[in-house]
Amino acid sequence: MSCTWRIDTLSALHGPRPTPLGPGAVPFSLSPHRAGAGMPSRAAAHTTGRASVLAALTATVLTVTGAPAFAAPDDSQPMDRAFTRAAAEFDVPRDLLAAVGYGETRLDGHSGRPSQAGGYGVMHLVSNPTNRMLERAAALTGKPVAELRTDTGANILGGAAVLRAYADKLGLDARDRDDIDAWYPAVARYGGAQGAAAALYADTVYTFLASGLDTVVPGGERISVTGRPVAPQKGALSDTEVRTQSPDYPSAKWVPANPNNFTPGRSAKIDKVVVHVTQGSYAGSISWFQNPTAEVSAHYVVRSSDGEITQMVRDKDTAYHARSANASALGIEHEGFIDDPSWFTDTMYRSSAALTKSLCDRYGIPKDRAHIIGHSEAPGNDHTDPGPYWDWNRYMELVGGSSGGGKSGDGLNFTSYATQQSGSTGAQVKAVQQLLNDQGYPAGAVDGSFGPATKTAVAAFQAARGLSADGVVGPRTWTALLSAGTTPSLQQGASGDGVKRLQRSLTAALGTTVGIDGGFGPATVTAVRNYQTSRGLTADGIVGPDTWAALQTGR
């Protein structure tokens, strides 16, 4: 099931017959395409020696750590307490429960708004014609459906109840339930898919268990799962690995969408590529495109962590993804959320751009922004994906085409800031030189060549900021340089050059992309809280004197 959230932008998964979402309605009434179900059962016997770690789990987690032990919950940790309570009440491993929620929504409940699949809350409790998980959770917990939709604690309790019900149906006894590896088939059922898609969903959850995670959720609370070796008991799912190669793009896997969700053949020549963002997970989107009630699909889906690609509709057929452009367009979905740029990894950009380049070469599509467009640019659409944080300049450069707009603004905006030192050249050296000159540290000509004058200026700036004066521009020096200037109080709703400086410096400090658009929106709030938490500051999402002081000294 895809977590495609119906905010004011609706979702990235678009079909041809949208219906407005009425109060209390579930989103199947507005997703103009159709869905699947069922799951294989668990193997009866346990494996005794689990020496191997799950080999298939190669994806990286957004922010991972295998080191810290789980801290005891307290009054400042409402979500953590909810996971602990729900795990105890239904005898579900706490870390498994958290990993399922993280895989579904990155633990963002989106204020009770439903996804396109009809899922609610951090645990994505689904209500659609083929999956009544939300209603089942209500029956199991005694909680009203409205509360399960909007209250995070109740939603987590509902997720635990459903997982336990699946475990009971699979025959897991008390000893089994203490073994996190025995839960694999129950997790696969929670995903609402069958076969390869179900295994892909469960593998994603066990990736988080294997790698661990440490994330700050929208309320500013930190949620952690400690990494561990895993050897899940896959049972009947052990033989469902996706082995089929894409018929159109050999680097991709092939998992066909449900025939209800696309039309065989085309009524127009292929002349464009449409870029989408799933507003949900990779595995969940693949599952949703296999659901016959979804009535949505795309030709390709790209994973955030490693750039893996799955093809779901043949190029020669018409996927349902961009309304009036469907007949002539190829649709590429990218795992993630439009308001969280951390999903848009370098690996994803490169993998997707290689796919787009190949498609353009094969079908004679011009490599320009008139023919490689976002969903929001397709005629007759009211969607905003891929959103303000999608780096079109970078993407088009990787495709080998024209962005149609040149580089952004003042030459200081980058999706990441690499270390610069003597001998370095290029656009980021120019940025260093410009920033130094602006702050009164003469770096010489802004020529993109890191020579002696630039090194001397860097060292002088570092000494003034209490940094190691080695003349090398690493993350700390970048952070101090990019944040230098006035220190206005900033919070959600603010805009302007001060916000841009903040967004640049956070990108450097955190090592993850923070969209640089000058608008202090939810993604910037999350980035500020992540920074504040990691630096021991009050994680209120407001940039005051303490946060500016930390940034301007390169903390």
Side-chain angles (χ1 to χ4, degrees), residues 175-448:
R175 181 179 175 184
D176 295 329
R177 294 194 298 272
D178 288 339
D179 180 359
I180 207 163
D181 290 330
W183 284 84
Y184 184 95
V187 171
R189 286 196 175 190
Y190 193 97
Q194 293 179 324
L200 183 62
Y201 176 90
D203 282 349
T204 300
V205 172
Y206 277 80
T207 294
F208 300 138
L209 292 172
S211 301
L213 65 91
D214 185 12
T215 186
V216 177
V217 299
E221 180 181 350
R222 183 178 293 278
I223 301 293
S224 299
V225 168
T226 302
R228 77 219 52 212
V230 293
Q233 299 168 21
K234 292 191 173 185
L237 288 169
S238 60
D239 296 324
T240 58
E241 181 182 354
V242 181
R243 297 186 179 90
T244 306
Q245 194 175 47
S246 161
D248 294 317
Y249 188 65
S251 299
K253 295 180 176 182
W254 170 247
V255 177
N258 188 277
N260 239 25
N261 299 337
F262 66 93
T263 298
R266 285 185 180 270
S267 60
K269 178 185 175 182
I270 296 171
D271 65 3
K272 64 180 69 69
V273 174
V274 180
V275 172
H276 301 267
V277 173
T278 62
Q279 292 293 93
S281 70
Y282 176 72
S285 297
I286 291 170
S287 172
W288 185 234
F289 294 162
Q290 290 188 307
N291 187 317
T293 69
E295 296 186 332
V296 289
S297 61
H299 293 90
Y300 299 91
V301 186
V302 186
R303 186 157 65 189
S304 170
S305 61
D306 58 3
E308 180 180 276
I309 299 172
T310 293
Q311 183 178 13
M312 301 198 69
V313 176
R314 291 292 306 270
D315 293 353
K316 63 183 177 62
D317 294 329
T318 304
Y320 301 157
H321 62 101
R323 208 177 265 178
S324 62
N326 285 339
S328 60
L330 293 159
I332 304 177
E333 289 280 0
H334 297 82
E335 181 184 30
F337 295 81
I338 63 171
D339 59 356
D340 185 353
S342 65
W343 290 85
F344 304 150
T345 62
D346 178 71
T347 306
M348 171 183 275
Y349 276 121
R350 292 182 183 279
S351 177
S352 175
L355 168 61
T356 295
K357 182 179 187 300
S358 174
L359 295 173
C360 289
D361 290 342
R362 181 182 309 161
Y363 299 107
I365 302 170
K367 295 171 187 167
D368 59 38
R369 286 285 283 112
H371 296 85
I372 302 172
I373 63 174
H375 190 183
S376 60
E377 299 167 303
N381 282 279
D382 54 5
H383 293 230
T384 62
D385 59 305
Y389 300 129
W390 183 261
D391 191 338
W392 279 111
N393 291 327
R394 180 183 185 190
Y395 190 68
M396 295 304 297
E397 183 179 356
L398 291 169
V399 171
S402 167
S403 67
K407 298 214 171 183
S408 89
D410 49 19
L412 301 177
N413 298 355
F414 299 92
T415 54
S416 62
Y417 292 86
T419 297
Q420 307 297 322
Q421 55 192 320
S422 294
S424 296
T425 59
Q428 293 204 9
V429 174
K430 283 187 176 181
V432 168
Q433 293 166 329
Q434 178 181 329
L435 289 164
L436 288 167
N437 287 337
D438 289 347
Q439 291 299 310
Y441 296 88
V446 181
D447 58 5

Side-chain angles (χ1 to χ4, degrees), residues 63 214-218 220-222 340 342 506 510 512 523-536 539 541:
T63 309
D214 185 12
T215 186
V216 177
V217 299
E221 180 181 350
R222 183 178 293 278
D340 185 353
S342 65
L506 289 170
L510 296 172
T512 57
T524 302
V525 173
T526 298
V528 170
R529 285 175 174 154
N530 285 343
Y531 177 79
Q532 290 170 327
T533 299
S534 64
R535 270 59 175 184

